[in-house]
Amino acid sequence: MKKLVWVVPFVGLYVVYEGIVVLLTQGRGESIYELGMLIPATTPSLMTHGSIFVLAGIALICAPFILRKLGSI
């Protein structure tokens, strides 16, 4: 189980990468498909989804370190 926990930060890195890709997308009128979601390519939607992906990825990256500090792992 302890070795499996160290896979989580790599998943977090992938989610952060996809969030940055969404934030940098400048498509208009079409939808993009990222992380299993069909996201409308409007500026507010791209900014919202990209920011959420980046924050979720950062949380996944930090999770093992926080859990270790709390003594759960």
Side-chain angles (χ1 to χ4, degrees):
M1 181 66 179
K2 287 185 178 186
K3 292 186 182 203
L4 183 62
V5 171
W6 291 106
V7 174
V8 174
F10 294 111
V11 173
L13 285 173
Y14 178 71
V15 173
V16 168
Y17 167 75
E18 291 295 330
I20 292 171
V21 167
V22 170
L23 285 172
L24 295 177
T25 300
Q26 294 185 3
R28 299 279 186 252
E30 295 291 323
S31 296
I32 61 170
Y33 189 76
E34 294 292 334
L35 290 174
M37 297 176 61
L38 191 61
I39 303 169
T42 60
T43 301
S45 180
L46 291 173
M47 296 297 280
T48 301
H49 285 84
S51 299
I52 290 172
F53 289 161
V54 170
L55 291 175
I58 290 171
L60 287 172
I61 292 169
C62 295
F65 303 109
I66 293 171
L67 290 175
R68 178 177 277 187
K69 193 132 186 127
L70 295 175
S72 299
I73 297 179

